[in-house]
Amino acid sequence: MSQFGMHVKFTAKSGQRDALVAILLEGQAAMESIHECELYIVSVSDTDPDAIWVTEVWSDAEAHAASLALDETKAAIQRAMPLIAHIDAVKMKPAGGKGLRPAAI
Amino acid sequence: MSQFGMHVKFTAKSGQRDALVAILLEGQAAMESIHECELYIVSVSDTDPDAIWVTEVWSDAEAHAASLALDETKAAIQRAMPLIAHIDAVKMKPAGGKGLRPAAI
């Protein structure tokens, strides 16, 4: 099983970025308690007022999928969806680097 | 000063992905010794044989810029450039999450 990465760009509806960031950052508490979640970073842009990125690394794809089935995740997604204009998700496979547990291609 | 993030997609020339990943992963050793570098992750794709992502978080933009001026970084860039077909770099500002030092918008 290899580590699983996601880099998701959310485009918030105009004026909704900060509300959406708040919901996404609420997810941090849940992620802190899930060992398989190695990284969950919410980022914004200095130049695009509607852009939000969530960068995640999980021990494997199954752990990530299981997290989406949690009640709190489903509730957060339901609250977030009305604030989102567009989602662009990219799956990645970490090969290594600083800040992660060792991984192999 | 706020944390500085980068998410860079490298498109390798055909057949050059693994050689480029190797050069990028060599950079990890240097990053390990730079306190201001909080995250430096090299990732590949299961579906796109030429795609490589480097996701970085730095204590601030100045520390990131300073790292690019290091002789070893310049030498690695020189070795890597002939292997690269395209670069798409996105600057981000981490707002928080799991795996990072606390940050504020």
Side-chain angles (χ1 to χ4, degrees), chain A residues 7 17-18 21 25 28 31-35 37-46 53 55 57 90-100 105, chain B residues 7 17-18 21 25 28 31-32 34-35 37-46 53 55 57 90-100 105:
Chain A
H7 185 71
R17 183 196 73 175
D18 291 349
V21 164
L25 282 179
Q28 178 184 350
M31 298 306 141
E32 294 287 0
S33 63
I34 302 174
H35 175 70
C37 174
E38 299 185 27
L39 204 65
Y40 173 85
I41 302 175
V42 179
S43 301
V44 295
S45 169
D46 278 332
W53 293 274
T55 309
V57 171
V90 175
K91 292 180 182 176
M92 308 183 297
K93 186 164 72 174
K98 177 178 183 178
L100 278 187
I105 287 181
Chain B
H7 185 71
R17 183 196 73 176
D18 291 349
V21 164
L25 282 179
Q28 177 184 351
M31 297 306 142
E32 294 288 1
I34 302 174
H35 174 70
C37 174
E38 298 186 26
L39 204 64
Y40 173 86
I41 302 176
V42 180
S43 301
V44 295
S45 168
D46 278 331
W53 293 274
T55 308
V57 172
V90 175
K91 292 180 181 175
M92 308 182 297
K93 186 164 71 173
K98 176 177 183 178
L100 278 187
I105 288 183

Short mmCIF file of all heavy atoms in Angstrom, two decimals, chain A residues 7 17-18 21 25 28 31-35 37-46 53 55 57 90-100 105, chain B residues 7 17-18 21 25 28 31-32 34-35 37-46 53 55 57 90-100 105:
data_model
loop_
_atom_site.label_atom_id
_atom_site.label_comp_id
_atom_site.label_asym_id
_atom_site.label_seq_id
_atom_site.Cartn_x
_atom_site.Cartn_y
_atom_site.Cartn_z
N HIS A 7 -4.61 17.05 -3.98
CA HIS A 7 -4.47 18.51 -4.00
C HIS A 7 -5.73 19.04 -4.67
O HIS A 7 -5.95 18.79 -5.86
CB HIS A 7 -3.22 18.91 -4.78
CG HIS A 7 -2.94 20.39 -4.75
ND1 HIS A 7 -2.50 21.02 -3.61
CD2 HIS A 7 -3.06 21.34 -5.70
CE1 HIS A 7 -2.32 22.30 -3.87
NE2 HIS A 7 -2.67 22.53 -5.11
N ARG A 17 -15.15 32.95 0.41
CA ARG A 17 -13.90 32.23 0.71
C ARG A 17 -13.70 32.01 2.21
O ARG A 17 -13.47 30.88 2.66
CB ARG A 17 -12.69 33.00 0.17
CG ARG A 17 -11.40 32.23 0.40
CD ARG A 17 -10.16 33.05 0.24
NE ARG A 17 -9.96 33.97 1.36
CZ ARG A 17 -8.88 34.73 1.50
NH1 ARG A 17 -7.93 34.68 0.59
NH2 ARG A 17 -8.75 35.54 2.52
N ASP A 18 -13.80 33.05 2.98
CA ASP A 18 -13.45 32.92 4.41
C ASP A 18 -14.42 31.98 5.12
O ASP A 18 -14.02 31.20 6.00
CB ASP A 18 -13.40 34.30 5.07
CG ASP A 18 -12.20 35.12 4.56
OD1 ASP A 18 -11.32 34.51 3.88
OD2 ASP A 18 -12.17 36.34 4.80
N VAL A 21 -13.24 28.56 4.12
CA VAL A 21 -12.00 28.22 4.82
C VAL A 21 -12.32 27.80 6.26
O VAL A 21 -11.78 26.82 6.78
CB VAL A 21 -11.03 29.42 4.82
CG1 VAL A 21 -9.91 29.22 5.85
CG2 VAL A 21 -10.43 29.61 3.43
N LEU A 25 -11.27 24.33 7.84
CA LEU A 25 -10.35 24.27 8.99
C LEU A 25 -11.00 23.55 10.18
O LEU A 25 -10.30 22.99 11.02
CB LEU A 25 -9.90 25.68 9.39
CG LEU A 25 -8.81 26.29 8.51
CD1 LEU A 25 -8.46 27.70 9.00
CD2 LEU A 25 -7.55 25.42 8.49
N GLN A 28 -9.87 20.11 10.54
CA GLN A 28 -8.55 19.81 11.11
C GLN A 28 -8.68 19.01 12.40
O GLN A 28 -7.94 18.05 12.62
CB GLN A 28 -7.79 21.11 11.40
CG GLN A 28 -6.43 20.88 12.05
CD GLN A 28 -5.73 22.18 12.42
OE1 GLN A 28 -6.18 23.26 12.03
NE2 GLN A 28 -4.64 22.07 13.15
N MET A 31 -9.11 15.49 11.62
CA MET A 31 -7.90 14.92 11.01
C MET A 31 -6.83 14.67 12.07
O MET A 31 -6.06 13.70 11.98
CB MET A 31 -7.36 15.86 9.93
CG MET A 31 -8.31 16.09 8.77
SD MET A 31 -8.86 14.54 8.01
CE MET A 31 -10.59 14.95 7.66
N GLU A 32 -6.76 15.53 13.07
CA GLU A 32 -5.75 15.36 14.12
C GLU A 32 -5.90 14.01 14.81
O GLU A 32 -4.93 13.40 15.22
CB GLU A 32 -5.84 16.49 15.16
CG GLU A 32 -5.52 17.88 14.64
CD GLU A 32 -4.03 18.11 14.39
OE1 GLU A 32 -3.22 17.17 14.61
OE2 GLU A 32 -3.68 19.22 13.92
N SER A 33 -7.15 13.52 14.87
CA SER A 33 -7.38 12.27 15.61
C SER A 33 -7.28 11.04 14.71
O SER A 33 -7.41 9.92 15.18
CB SER A 33 -8.78 12.31 16.24
OG SER A 33 -9.75 12.38 15.20
N ILE A 34 -7.06 11.27 13.42
CA ILE A 34 -6.94 10.13 12.49
C ILE A 34 -5.48 9.92 12.12
O ILE A 34 -4.88 10.70 11.38
CB ILE A 34 -7.79 10.38 11.21
CG1 ILE A 34 -9.25 10.61 11.57
CG2 ILE A 34 -7.64 9.20 10.24
CD1 ILE A 34 -10.12 10.99 10.39
N HIS A 35 -4.89 8.86 12.66
CA HIS A 35 -3.45 8.61 12.47
C HIS A 35 -3.10 8.53 10.98
O HIS A 35 -2.05 9.03 10.55
CB HIS A 35 -3.04 7.32 13.18
CG HIS A 35 -1.61 6.92 12.93
ND1 HIS A 35 -0.55 7.64 13.45
CD2 HIS A 35 -1.07 5.93 12.17
CE1 HIS A 35 0.59 7.07 13.05
NE2 HIS A 35 0.31 6.05 12.27
N CYS A 37 -4.16 10.08 8.55
CA CYS A 37 -4.08 11.39 7.90
C CYS A 37 -2.76 12.04 8.28
O CYS A 37 -2.58 12.47 9.43
CB CYS A 37 -5.24 12.29 8.31
SG CYS A 37 -5.08 13.97 7.66
N GLU A 38 -1.84 12.10 7.37
CA GLU A 38 -0.50 12.63 7.69
C GLU A 38 -0.42 14.13 7.46
O GLU A 38 0.37 14.82 8.08
CB GLU A 38 0.55 11.93 6.81
CG GLU A 38 0.61 10.43 7.05
CD GLU A 38 1.74 9.78 6.28
OE1 GLU A 38 2.74 10.47 5.98
OE2 GLU A 38 1.63 8.60 5.95
N LEU A 39 -1.25 14.61 6.56
CA LEU A 39 -1.16 16.03 6.18
C LEU A 39 -2.53 16.49 5.74
O LEU A 39 -3.23 15.78 5.01
CB LEU A 39 -0.17 16.17 5.03
CG LEU A 39 0.51 17.50 4.81
CD1 LEU A 39 1.42 17.85 6.00
CD2 LEU A 39 1.35 17.44 3.54
N TYR A 40 -2.93 17.66 6.24
CA TYR A 40 -4.21 18.26 5.79
C TYR A 40 -4.01 19.76 5.90
O TYR A 40 -4.07 20.33 6.99
CB TYR A 40 -5.35 17.77 6.70
CG TYR A 40 -6.68 18.44 6.47
CD1 TYR A 40 -7.55 17.96 5.49
CD2 TYR A 40 -7.08 19.55 7.22
CE1 TYR A 40 -8.77 18.56 5.26
CE2 TYR A 40 -8.31 20.16 7.00
CZ TYR A 40 -9.14 19.67 6.03
OH TYR A 40 -10.36 20.28 5.80
N ILE A 41 -3.68 20.39 4.78
CA ILE A 41 -3.34 21.82 4.80
C ILE A 41 -4.36 22.60 3.99
O ILE A 41 -4.65 22.24 2.85
CB ILE A 41 -1.94 22.06 4.22
CG1 ILE A 41 -0.89 21.26 4.98
CG2 ILE A 41 -1.60 23.54 4.22
CD1 ILE A 41 0.49 21.37 4.38
N VAL A 42 -4.88 23.64 4.59
CA VAL A 42 -5.80 24.54 3.90
C VAL A 42 -5.02 25.82 3.58
O VAL A 42 -4.41 26.40 4.48
CB VAL A 42 -7.03 24.87 4.79
CG1 VAL A 42 -7.97 25.83 4.06
CG2 VAL A 42 -7.76 23.59 5.20
N SER A 43 -5.02 26.21 2.31
CA SER A 43 -4.27 27.39 1.90
C SER A 43 -5.15 28.32 1.07
O SER A 43 -6.11 27.88 0.43
CB SER A 43 -3.06 26.98 1.03
OG SER A 43 -2.18 26.12 1.72
N VAL A 44 -4.80 29.61 1.11
CA VAL A 44 -5.51 30.61 0.28
C VAL A 44 -4.50 31.29 -0.63
O VAL A 44 -3.31 30.93 -0.64
CB VAL A 44 -6.23 31.64 1.18
CG1 VAL A 44 -7.34 30.96 1.98
CG2 VAL A 44 -5.26 32.37 2.09
N SER A 45 -4.96 32.24 -1.40
CA SER A 45 -4.11 32.92 -2.37
C SER A 45 -4.06 34.41 -2.06
O SER A 45 -5.06 35.00 -1.61
CB SER A 45 -4.71 32.72 -3.77
OG SER A 45 -4.07 33.57 -4.70
N ASP A 46 -2.88 35.00 -2.31
CA ASP A 46 -2.77 36.45 -2.17
C ASP A 46 -3.31 37.18 -3.40
O ASP A 46 -3.52 38.39 -3.37
CB ASP A 46 -1.29 36.85 -1.97
CG ASP A 46 -0.86 36.66 -0.52
OD1 ASP A 46 -1.73 36.77 0.37
OD2 ASP A 46 0.33 36.39 -0.27
N TRP A 53 -7.01 26.02 -1.48
CA TRP A 53 -6.47 24.70 -1.77
C TRP A 53 -6.47 23.86 -0.50
O TRP A 53 -6.16 24.37 0.59
CB TRP A 53 -5.03 24.79 -2.27
CG TRP A 53 -4.89 25.44 -3.61
CD1 TRP A 53 -5.00 24.85 -4.85
CD2 TRP A 53 -4.64 26.83 -3.87
NE1 TRP A 53 -4.82 25.79 -5.84
CE2 TRP A 53 -4.61 27.00 -5.27
CE3 TRP A 53 -4.46 27.95 -3.04
CZ2 TRP A 53 -4.37 28.23 -5.86
CZ3 TRP A 53 -4.22 29.18 -3.62
CH2 TRP A 53 -4.18 29.32 -5.02
N THR A 55 -4.52 20.47 0.61
CA THR A 55 -3.49 19.50 0.24
C THR A 55 -3.45 18.43 1.32
O THR A 55 -3.29 18.74 2.49
CB THR A 55 -2.11 20.20 0.14
OG1 THR A 55 -2.24 21.35 -0.71
CG2 THR A 55 -1.07 19.25 -0.42
N VAL A 57 -2.26 14.30 2.58
CA VAL A 57 -1.53 13.03 2.38
C VAL A 57 -2.07 12.04 3.40
O VAL A 57 -2.22 12.38 4.58
CB VAL A 57 0.00 13.20 2.57
CG1 VAL A 57 0.68 11.84 2.56
CG2 VAL A 57 0.58 14.10 1.48
N VAL A 90 -6.91 16.79 -7.78
CA VAL A 90 -5.82 16.04 -8.41
C VAL A 90 -5.30 15.00 -7.42
O VAL A 90 -4.98 15.34 -6.28
CB VAL A 90 -4.66 16.97 -8.82
CG1 VAL A 90 -3.48 16.16 -9.37
CG2 VAL A 90 -5.13 18.01 -9.84
N LYS A 91 -5.27 13.75 -7.86
CA LYS A 91 -4.72 12.69 -7.03
C LYS A 91 -3.22 12.58 -7.26
O LYS A 91 -2.78 12.69 -8.42
CB LYS A 91 -5.40 11.35 -7.34
CG LYS A 91 -6.85 11.29 -6.93
CD LYS A 91 -7.48 9.95 -7.27
CE LYS A 91 -8.96 9.94 -6.90
NZ LYS A 91 -9.62 8.68 -7.31
N MET A 92 -2.46 12.40 -6.19
CA MET A 92 -1.01 12.31 -6.31
C MET A 92 -0.51 11.13 -5.49
O MET A 92 -1.19 10.68 -4.56
CB MET A 92 -0.35 13.60 -5.77
CG MET A 92 -0.90 14.89 -6.34
SD MET A 92 -0.02 16.35 -5.72
CE MET A 92 -0.41 16.24 -3.97
N LYS A 93 0.69 10.69 -5.83
CA LYS A 93 1.31 9.63 -5.03
C LYS A 93 2.65 10.15 -4.52
O LYS A 93 3.59 10.31 -5.31
CB LYS A 93 1.52 8.37 -5.88
CG LYS A 93 2.02 7.18 -5.09
CD LYS A 93 1.85 5.87 -5.83
CE LYS A 93 2.80 5.74 -6.98
NZ LYS A 93 2.75 4.40 -7.62
N PRO A 94 2.71 10.49 -3.22
CA PRO A 94 3.96 11.02 -2.68
C PRO A 94 5.13 10.06 -2.91
O PRO A 94 5.00 8.85 -2.73
CB PRO A 94 3.66 11.18 -1.19
CG PRO A 94 2.17 11.35 -1.12
CD PRO A 94 1.64 10.47 -2.21
N ALA A 95 6.27 10.63 -3.35
CA ALA A 95 7.46 9.81 -3.61
C ALA A 95 8.49 10.03 -2.51
O ALA A 95 9.46 9.29 -2.41
CB ALA A 95 8.06 10.18 -4.96
N GLY A 96 8.28 11.08 -1.73
CA GLY A 96 9.23 11.34 -0.65
C GLY A 96 9.34 12.82 -0.39
O GLY A 96 8.65 13.63 -1.01
N GLY A 97 10.22 13.19 0.53
CA GLY A 97 10.41 14.60 0.84
C GLY A 97 10.44 14.84 2.32
O GLY A 97 10.43 13.91 3.12
N LYS A 98 10.50 16.12 2.68
CA LYS A 98 10.58 16.54 4.08
C LYS A 98 9.18 16.78 4.62
O LYS A 98 8.37 17.44 3.99
CB LYS A 98 11.39 17.83 4.19
CG LYS A 98 11.47 18.38 5.62
CD LYS A 98 12.32 19.64 5.70
CE LYS A 98 12.45 20.11 7.15
NZ LYS A 98 13.30 21.32 7.27
N GLY A 99 8.89 16.20 5.76
CA GLY A 99 7.59 16.45 6.40
C GLY A 99 6.64 15.28 6.30
O GLY A 99 5.52 15.33 6.77
N LEU A 100 7.12 14.19 5.69
CA LEU A 100 6.27 13.01 5.52
C LEU A 100 6.98 11.78 6.07
O LEU A 100 8.21 11.74 6.12
CB LEU A 100 6.03 12.74 4.04
CG LEU A 100 4.93 13.52 3.34
CD1 LEU A 100 4.76 12.96 1.93
CD2 LEU A 100 3.62 13.43 4.08
N ILE A 105 8.23 4.92 -4.40
CA ILE A 105 7.43 4.97 -5.63
C ILE A 105 6.89 3.56 -5.87
O ILE A 105 7.62 2.63 -5.72
CB ILE A 105 8.32 5.44 -6.81
CG1 ILE A 105 8.60 6.92 -6.64
CG2 ILE A 105 7.67 5.17 -8.14
CD1 ILE A 105 9.44 7.52 -7.74
N HIS B 7 2.93 25.18 -4.87
CA HIS B 7 2.55 23.89 -5.44
C HIS B 7 2.92 23.94 -6.91
O HIS B 7 2.34 24.73 -7.66
CB HIS B 7 1.05 23.64 -5.25
CG HIS B 7 0.60 22.28 -5.70
ND1 HIS B 7 0.93 21.14 -5.01
CD2 HIS B 7 -0.14 21.88 -6.75
CE1 HIS B 7 0.39 20.10 -5.61
NE2 HIS B 7 -0.24 20.51 -6.69
N ARG B 17 10.55 11.23 -16.31
CA ARG B 17 9.98 11.49 -14.99
C ARG B 17 10.86 10.99 -13.85
O ARG B 17 11.20 11.73 -12.94
CB ARG B 17 8.60 10.84 -14.86
CG ARG B 17 7.96 11.17 -13.51
CD ARG B 17 6.81 10.30 -13.14
NE ARG B 17 7.23 8.96 -12.75
CZ ARG B 17 6.41 8.04 -12.30
NH1 ARG B 17 5.11 8.31 -12.22
NH2 ARG B 17 6.85 6.84 -11.97
N ASP B 18 11.25 9.75 -13.91
CA ASP B 18 11.98 9.16 -12.78
C ASP B 18 13.33 9.84 -12.57
O ASP B 18 13.76 10.05 -11.43
CB ASP B 18 12.12 7.65 -12.96
CG ASP B 18 10.76 6.93 -12.83
OD1 ASP B 18 9.78 7.61 -12.39
OD2 ASP B 18 10.68 5.75 -13.20
N VAL B 21 12.45 13.06 -10.87
CA VAL B 21 12.08 12.82 -9.47
C VAL B 21 13.34 12.61 -8.64
O VAL B 21 13.48 13.14 -7.52
CB VAL B 21 11.14 11.60 -9.35
CG1 VAL B 21 11.05 11.10 -7.91
CG2 VAL B 21 9.76 11.95 -9.88
N LEU B 25 14.27 14.76 -5.43
CA LEU B 25 14.38 14.13 -4.11
C LEU B 25 15.76 14.34 -3.51
O LEU B 25 15.92 14.34 -2.29
CB LEU B 25 14.06 12.63 -4.20
CG LEU B 25 12.58 12.28 -4.27
CD1 LEU B 25 12.39 10.77 -4.38
CD2 LEU B 25 11.83 12.81 -3.04
N GLN B 28 15.83 16.99 -1.01
CA GLN B 28 15.32 16.76 0.34
C GLN B 28 16.42 16.90 1.39
O GLN B 28 16.21 17.51 2.44
CB GLN B 28 14.70 15.36 0.44
CG GLN B 28 14.21 15.01 1.83
CD GLN B 28 13.69 13.60 1.92
OE1 GLN B 28 13.53 12.91 0.92
NE2 GLN B 28 13.43 13.15 3.14
N MET B 31 16.88 20.41 2.20
CA MET B 31 15.70 20.96 2.89
C MET B 31 15.66 20.51 4.35
O MET B 31 15.24 21.24 5.23
CB MET B 31 14.42 20.50 2.18
CG MET B 31 14.28 21.01 0.76
SD MET B 31 14.44 22.81 0.62
CE MET B 31 15.36 22.94 -0.91
N GLU B 32 16.13 19.30 4.61
CA GLU B 32 16.11 18.79 5.99
C GLU B 32 16.93 19.70 6.90
O GLU B 32 16.60 19.88 8.06
CB GLU B 32 16.68 17.36 6.05
CG GLU B 32 15.85 16.32 5.33
CD GLU B 32 14.54 15.95 6.05
OE1 GLU B 32 14.27 16.55 7.13
OE2 GLU B 32 13.78 15.12 5.53
N ILE B 34 17.35 22.94 6.52
CA ILE B 34 16.86 24.33 6.54
C ILE B 34 15.60 24.41 7.40
O ILE B 34 14.52 23.95 7.01
CB ILE B 34 16.58 24.84 5.11
CG1 ILE B 34 17.84 24.75 4.24
CG2 ILE B 34 16.04 26.26 5.14
CD1 ILE B 34 17.61 25.09 2.78
N HIS B 35 15.73 24.99 8.58
CA HIS B 35 14.60 25.02 9.53
C HIS B 35 13.37 25.69 8.91
O HIS B 35 12.24 25.25 9.13
CB HIS B 35 15.02 25.76 10.81
CG HIS B 35 13.89 25.96 11.78
ND1 HIS B 35 13.32 24.91 12.48
CD2 HIS B 35 13.19 27.08 12.13
CE1 HIS B 35 12.34 25.37 13.24
NE2 HIS B 35 12.22 26.67 13.05
N CYS B 37 12.25 25.60 6.06
CA CYS B 37 11.51 24.74 5.14
C CYS B 37 10.68 23.75 5.96
O CYS B 37 11.23 22.83 6.57
CB CYS B 37 12.45 23.98 4.21
SG CYS B 37 11.57 22.77 3.18
N GLU B 38 9.39 23.92 5.99
CA GLU B 38 8.54 23.07 6.84
C GLU B 38 8.06 21.84 6.09
O GLU B 38 7.77 20.81 6.68
CB GLU B 38 7.33 23.88 7.32
CG GLU B 38 7.71 25.07 8.18
CD GLU B 38 6.48 25.76 8.76
OE1 GLU B 38 5.45 25.08 8.92
OE2 GLU B 38 6.55 26.96 9.04
N LEU B 39 7.96 21.99 4.78
CA LEU B 39 7.39 20.88 3.98
C LEU B 39 8.01 20.94 2.59
O LEU B 39 8.15 22.01 2.01
CB LEU B 39 5.88 21.09 3.88
CG LEU B 39 4.99 19.89 3.61
CD1 LEU B 39 5.06 18.90 4.77
CD2 LEU B 39 3.56 20.35 3.41
N TYR B 40 8.40 19.76 2.11
CA TYR B 40 8.94 19.68 0.74
C TYR B 40 8.59 18.28 0.26
O TYR B 40 9.25 17.29 0.62
CB TYR B 40 10.45 19.91 0.75
CG TYR B 40 11.13 19.68 -0.58
CD1 TYR B 40 11.21 20.70 -1.54
CD2 TYR B 40 11.70 18.44 -0.91
CE1 TYR B 40 11.83 20.50 -2.77
CE2 TYR B 40 12.33 18.23 -2.13
CZ TYR B 40 12.39 19.25 -3.05
OH TYR B 40 13.01 19.04 -4.27
N ILE B 41 7.49 18.17 -0.49
CA ILE B 41 6.99 16.84 -0.87
C ILE B 41 7.03 16.70 -2.39
O ILE B 41 6.56 17.58 -3.11
CB ILE B 41 5.54 16.63 -0.39
CG1 ILE B 41 5.44 16.79 1.11
CG2 ILE B 41 5.03 15.27 -0.83
CD1 ILE B 41 4.03 16.68 1.63
N VAL B 42 7.63 15.62 -2.84
CA VAL B 42 7.66 15.31 -4.26
C VAL B 42 6.64 14.19 -4.51
O VAL B 42 6.70 13.16 -3.81
CB VAL B 42 9.07 14.85 -4.70
CG1 VAL B 42 9.10 14.52 -6.19
CG2 VAL B 42 10.11 15.92 -4.35
N SER B 43 5.73 14.42 -5.44
CA SER B 43 4.69 13.42 -5.71
C SER B 43 4.61 13.13 -7.21
O SER B 43 4.96 13.99 -8.04
CB SER B 43 3.31 13.94 -5.24
OG SER B 43 3.31 14.23 -3.87
N VAL B 44 4.13 11.94 -7.53
CA VAL B 44 3.91 11.56 -8.94
C VAL B 44 2.44 11.19 -9.11
O VAL B 44 1.65 11.29 -8.17
CB VAL B 44 4.84 10.39 -9.34
CG1 VAL B 44 6.30 10.82 -9.28
CG2 VAL B 44 4.60 9.16 -8.48
N SER B 45 2.11 10.77 -10.31
CA SER B 45 0.72 10.46 -10.63
C SER B 45 0.60 9.00 -11.07
O SER B 45 1.51 8.46 -11.72
CB SER B 45 0.25 11.35 -11.79
OG SER B 45 -0.98 10.91 -12.30
N ASP B 46 -0.53 8.39 -10.71
CA ASP B 46 -0.79 7.03 -11.19
C ASP B 46 -1.35 7.03 -12.61
O ASP B 46 -1.42 6.01 -13.27
CB ASP B 46 -1.80 6.32 -10.26
CG ASP B 46 -1.11 5.75 -9.02
OD1 ASP B 46 0.09 5.40 -9.13
OD2 ASP B 46 -1.76 5.66 -7.97
N TRP B 53 4.69 16.64 -8.94
CA TRP B 53 4.35 17.83 -8.17
C TRP B 53 5.35 17.99 -7.03
O TRP B 53 5.75 17.00 -6.40
CB TRP B 53 2.95 17.71 -7.57
CG TRP B 53 1.84 17.72 -8.57
CD1 TRP B 53 1.21 18.80 -9.12
CD2 TRP B 53 1.23 16.56 -9.16
NE1 TRP B 53 0.25 18.39 -10.01
CE2 TRP B 53 0.24 17.02 -10.06
CE3 TRP B 53 1.43 15.19 -9.04
CZ2 TRP B 53 -0.56 16.17 -10.80
CZ3 TRP B 53 0.64 14.32 -9.78
CH2 TRP B 53 -0.34 14.81 -10.65
N THR B 55 5.29 20.09 -3.57
CA THR B 55 4.48 20.92 -2.68
C THR B 55 5.36 21.37 -1.53
O THR B 55 5.98 20.55 -0.86
CB THR B 55 3.29 20.10 -2.13
OG1 THR B 55 2.58 19.50 -3.22
CG2 THR B 55 2.34 21.00 -1.34
N VAL B 57 6.12 24.21 1.87
CA VAL B 57 5.69 25.28 2.80
C VAL B 57 6.94 25.80 3.49
O VAL B 57 7.77 25.01 3.94
CB VAL B 57 4.68 24.77 3.84
CG1 VAL B 57 4.42 25.85 4.90
CG2 VAL B 57 3.36 24.38 3.17
N VAL B 90 2.13 27.50 -8.55
CA VAL B 90 1.06 28.25 -7.87
C VAL B 90 1.54 28.62 -6.47
O VAL B 90 2.00 27.76 -5.72
CB VAL B 90 -0.23 27.40 -7.77
CG1 VAL B 90 -1.30 28.13 -6.96
CG2 VAL B 90 -0.75 27.04 -9.16
N LYS B 91 1.46 29.91 -6.15
CA LYS B 91 1.81 30.37 -4.81
C LYS B 91 0.58 30.28 -3.91
O LYS B 91 -0.53 30.64 -4.36
CB LYS B 91 2.33 31.81 -4.85
CG LYS B 91 3.67 31.95 -5.55
CD LYS B 91 4.16 33.39 -5.57
CE LYS B 91 5.49 33.49 -6.31
NZ LYS B 91 5.93 34.89 -6.47
N MET B 92 0.79 29.82 -2.69
CA MET B 92 -0.33 29.69 -1.76
C MET B 92 0.07 30.27 -0.40
O MET B 92 1.26 30.38 -0.10
CB MET B 92 -0.70 28.21 -1.57
CG MET B 92 -0.93 27.45 -2.84
SD MET B 92 -1.43 25.72 -2.54
CE MET B 92 0.03 25.08 -1.71
N LYS B 93 -0.94 30.60 0.40
CA LYS B 93 -0.66 31.05 1.77
C LYS B 93 -1.40 30.11 2.71
O LYS B 93 -2.65 30.14 2.78
CB LYS B 93 -1.15 32.49 1.95
CG LYS B 93 -0.77 33.08 3.30
CD LYS B 93 -0.90 34.59 3.34
CE LYS B 93 -2.35 35.04 3.32
NZ LYS B 93 -2.48 36.51 3.53
N PRO B 94 -0.64 29.22 3.39
CA PRO B 94 -1.29 28.29 4.30
C PRO B 94 -2.11 29.02 5.36
O PRO B 94 -1.66 30.02 5.93
CB PRO B 94 -0.12 27.54 4.94
CG PRO B 94 0.98 27.64 3.92
CD PRO B 94 0.81 29.00 3.31
N ALA B 95 -3.33 28.51 5.60
CA ALA B 95 -4.22 29.12 6.61
C ALA B 95 -4.28 28.24 7.86
O ALA B 95 -4.78 28.66 8.90
CB ALA B 95 -5.62 29.30 6.03
N GLY B 96 -3.81 27.01 7.72
CA GLY B 96 -3.82 26.13 8.88
C GLY B 96 -4.00 24.68 8.45
O GLY B 96 -4.07 24.38 7.25
N GLY B 97 -4.09 23.79 9.42
CA GLY B 97 -4.29 22.38 9.10
C GLY B 97 -3.37 21.50 9.90
O GLY B 97 -2.65 21.96 10.78
N LYS B 98 -3.40 20.21 9.58
CA LYS B 98 -2.60 19.21 10.31
C LYS B 98 -1.27 19.02 9.59
O LYS B 98 -1.23 18.87 8.38
CB LYS B 98 -3.35 17.88 10.33
CG LYS B 98 -2.56 16.75 10.98
CD LYS B 98 -3.36 15.47 11.06
CE LYS B 98 -2.57 14.38 11.77
NZ LYS B 98 -3.33 13.12 11.90
N GLY B 99 -0.20 19.07 10.33
CA GLY B 99 1.11 18.81 9.74
C GLY B 99 1.96 20.05 9.58
O GLY B 99 3.07 20.01 9.08
N LEU B 100 1.41 21.20 10.01
CA LEU B 100 2.14 22.46 9.88
C LEU B 100 2.21 23.15 11.23
O LEU B 100 1.36 22.94 12.08
CB LEU B 100 1.39 23.41 8.94
CG LEU B 100 1.57 23.22 7.45
CD1 LEU B 100 0.87 24.37 6.74
CD2 LEU B 100 3.03 23.21 7.07
N ILE B 105 -4.41 33.55 8.84
CA ILE B 105 -4.69 34.20 7.54
C ILE B 105 -4.18 35.63 7.64
O ILE B 105 -4.40 36.26 8.63
CB ILE B 105 -6.20 34.15 7.23
CG1 ILE B 105 -6.59 32.70 6.90
CG2 ILE B 105 -6.60 35.10 6.17
CD1 ILE B 105 -8.03 32.51 6.51
#
